[in-house]
Amino acid sequence: LFRPLIPFRSQHFFLRRRRLFMSKTEFVNAEGLRIDGRRPHEVRNIRCRFGLLAEPDGSAYLEQGNTKVLAAVYGPRESTLRHEVLHDKALFTCEFNMTPFATGERKKRPKNDRRSVEIAQVVRQSMESVVMSHLFPRSQIDIVIQVLQADGGVQAVSINAASLAMADAGIPMRDLICACSAGYLEATPLTDLNYTEENGGGPRLTAAVLPTSGKVVTAHMEGKAAPEVFERVLSLAVDGARAVHTRVQKELTEHAVALANTRGLLTF
C-alpha cells in the first residue's frame, strides 16, 4: 500500500511561519485605520447584560469586540477559609477559567496555569482596591471569571466584567473600576488591542483606573519600551478605560432603573 511521505514540521517551522505572517501584517493602513476598521485611539464596541445567573449574588456578561466574558460574584458571606479570615475586612478570592473553544487553538488549558493565576490575581487586587471591604469584616467575597471567547484584552475585559458583577450584587464600591489595554505597533500607539495586535511583537500594557479620580490602580506591562513610549501607552490606556466607563455606566444605569421599576421602587 503506497503512503505518501508527509514532511515533518517542527515547532521552529511554525514559529518562522508566524513571524513571517506578522511581518507582513499592516496594523495601521495609509488611511489611519486598523485591521478591524478602528482609529488608533478607539475602543471596541461594548455590550453588556446583568443578572443572567440565578445562583450568584451578582453576575454580568460583557462583550468587548469579539472578547466575551461572564463574571459571577458570591457574597459577602461567611468565610469558608477559616485560616485566612480577616477580622477587619472581607476576604477576596478569584477563579479564572477559559473555555477550550475560546481561542482558535482548540485546547483545554490547565486550571492553574501561569497565565490564569496571573489574571485571577490582578482581578482580585483590582476589586480589593475599590470595594468597601471594611463594611464586611470576617466575610468572604468570591469572584468567578469565565472567558467564552478571547480576541485580545482578556485581562482588561475580565476586570470590567467583575466590576459590573460587583455592582449587580449591590456591593458598595468607591468607584466603578474600569480597565483597558494599549500597545505600540509600527511607531503608533493603539488602544484596546485585539488578538492580532497583541501578538504583533510590540510592547503592551493593561491599566485599571478609577474613572472619577483618574487614579491608576493596577498597570501590567508586557515587553520593553522606552520611557516616552511607556508614558504614551499608559495615557492611551487610561483614556480607553474612561471611554469604557462611559459606555458601561450608561448600561448599568439603565439596568438599575429597570430593576427598580420592576420592584415598584420608582414612581413617576
Side-chain angles (χ1 to χ4, degrees), residues 205-266:
L205 177 145
T206 300
V209 180
L210 300 181
T212 302
S213 63
K215 179 182 178 182
V216 177
V217 175
T218 62
H220 182 257
M221 184 81 177
E222 296 186 48
K224 296 180 180 179
E228 59 273 14
V229 172
F230 172 80
E231 291 178 3
R232 293 179 66 187
V233 172
L234 178 60
S235 176
L236 211 58
V238 171
D239 291 342
R242 283 175 167 163
V244 170
H245 174 261
T246 300
R247 299 189 187 185
V248 298
Q249 181 68 50
K250 180 176 180 294
E251 298 274 355
L252 185 60
T253 301
E254 292 176 355
H255 168 68
V257 170
L259 190 62
N261 191 38
T262 301
R263 296 180 179 180
L265 301 178
L266 293 180

Side-chain angles (χ1 to χ4, degrees), residues 7-214:
F8 173 73
R9 296 291 188 255
S10 67
Q11 184 179 8
H12 295 290
F13 172 83
F14 291 106
L15 288 175
R16 288 196 300 270
R17 287 283 297 272
R18 181 178 176 181
R19 291 193 192 102
L20 181 62
F21 168 76
M22 288 301 178
S23 65
K24 294 182 178 180
T25 303
E26 186 180 39
F27 295 102
V28 181
N29 62 22
E31 287 75 29
L33 299 177
R34 295 155 68 175
I35 298 171
D36 52 12
R38 290 180 291 150
R39 296 289 180 183
H41 64 280
E42 291 180 339
V43 299
R44 293 174 289 181
N45 291 329
I46 293 175
R47 176 174 174 262
C48 50
R49 296 180 65 186
F50 304 91
L52 297 179
L53 304 177
E55 292 299 324
D57 295 285
S59 61
Y61 167 78
L62 180 63
E63 289 184 12
Q64 198 162 326
N66 291 323
T67 297
K68 304 176 182 181
V69 175
L70 182 64
V73 170
Y74 299 84
R77 57 187 179 183
E78 184 178 358
S79 179
T80 58
L81 304 173
R82 301 294 184 183
H83 61 290
E84 297 182 14
V85 65
L86 302 176
H87 298 280
D88 58 341
K89 60 182 179 179
L91 173 69
F92 288 81
T93 69
C94 182
E95 179 182 335
F96 176 89
N97 302 294
M98 185 175 291
T99 57
F101 51 83
T103 64
E105 302 174 359
R106 190 177 179 86
K107 64 179 181 179
K108 186 175 182 180
R109 292 173 174 265
K111 187 171 184 179
N112 292 318
D113 67 297
R114 184 187 65 83
R115 181 62 173 166
S116 297
V117 172
E118 183 181 89
I119 294 178
Q121 182 178 6
V122 172
V123 172
R124 177 179 57 79
Q125 291 174 345
S126 299
M127 296 304 108
E128 286 176 340
S129 68
V130 72
V131 172
M132 297 180 181
S133 57
H134 63 280
L135 299 177
F136 311 103
R138 302 181 61 84
S139 64
Q140 180 174 325
I141 299 176
D142 301 315
I143 308 162
V144 180
I145 303 292
Q146 184 72 50
V147 179
L148 305 177
Q149 187 168 313
D151 185 36
V154 169
Q155 181 173 298
V157 181
S158 297
I159 293 173
N160 297 335
S163 182
L164 293 175
M166 285 283 181
D168 185 57
I171 298 175
M173 297 184 288
R174 298 180 180 86
D175 203 347
L176 186 68
I177 188 170
C178 291
C180 187
S181 64
Y184 196 76
L185 289 170
E186 297 179 348
T188 305
L190 305 175
T191 305
D192 194 12
L193 306 181
N194 58 36
Y195 179 82
T196 304
E197 292 167 342
E198 278 191 345
N199 291 275
R204 62 184 187 273
L205 177 145
T206 300
V209 180
L210 300 181
T212 302
S213 63

